[in-house]
Amino acid sequence: MIHARTAIAGAVVCSIAVFCGCDSALPSPTADGNDPYAAVRQECVDTINSLRASIGLPALAYASDRNPCTDNQARLDSQNGTAHGAFGNCGEQAQNECPGYGRVESIVTGCLRSMWNEGPGEPYSQHGHYINMTNTAYSKVSVGFYTTSAGRVWAVLNFYP
């Protein structure tokens, strides 16, 4: 599920928004900063950077300050049942989204790997996630999660210059 937004390398784009802990099966970050998604967020960033390094690209900085906005976008998209529905709310230029997965851990092993395996190649519509992950116009990435009361995990990765 991809939404085109910029012409930069035919980059595919999507979104994030502001975190709001609602009926999530996992607790929202607490006032003391305890983030139940912290480890998997870092694993997503590390995985993207490892994949980028495998083709000689520099690492993306982890824009963790944008995670609350990205979390909220995952929440909104899950509630609307539409991937990329809140795109653009957080100033991102591209987005990859993993909608409705069964486990948080499957985001890295399933969704990110699947997106990477899309590319490179033509037609563009079949390689957009890969293009986002390898686009040298992006230098930062944020990672958002939301787990519904039914246990379905929505993850959003936003890319920034």
Side-chain angles (χ1 to χ4, degrees):
M1 299 182 175
I2 303 168
H3 177 73
R5 170 112 173 166
T6 65
I8 298 174
V12 177
V13 294
C14 290
S15 60
I16 56 179
V18 182
F19 182 78
C20 166
C22 295
D23 65 344
S24 178
L26 292 178
S28 61
T30 61
D32 66 0
N34 182 26
D35 179 0
Y37 299 108
V40 73
R41 289 183 207 273
Q42 188 63 56
E43 185 179 3
C44 285
V45 173
D46 292 347
T47 298
I48 291 169
N49 284 334
S50 175
L51 293 167
R52 286 173 59 93
S54 75
I55 58 169
L57 295 177
L60 297 173
Y62 180 23
S64 60
D65 59 316
R66 296 185 183 220
N67 287 346
C69 189
T70 310
D71 285 339
N72 192 54
Q73 186 172 9
R75 179 186 63 83
L76 292 171
D77 287 357
S78 76
Q79 290 173 343
N80 293 324
T82 304
H84 310 300
F87 176 75
N89 290 356
C90 298
E92 68 285 351
Q93 289 189 355
Q95 176 187 76
N96 291 354
E97 187 159 0
C98 306
Y101 273 66
R103 298 178 313 122
V104 171
E105 298 78 14
S106 65
I107 299 303
V108 173
T109 59
C111 186
L112 288 184
R113 292 290 176 173
S114 175
M115 289 177 178
W116 183 261
N117 291 338
E118 288 178 3
E122 295 291 331
Y124 163 75
S125 63
Q126 295 178 9
H127 303 282
H129 296 111
Y130 177 86
I131 290 169
N132 287 345
M133 294 169 82
T134 60
N135 192 328
T136 57
Y138 307 135
S139 63
K140 296 179 274 188
V141 63
S142 64
V143 183
F145 286 98
Y146 183 76
T147 303
T148 69
S149 58
R152 305 309 294 177
V153 179
W154 287 64
V156 172
L157 294 96
N158 286 317
F159 298 89
Y160 304 89

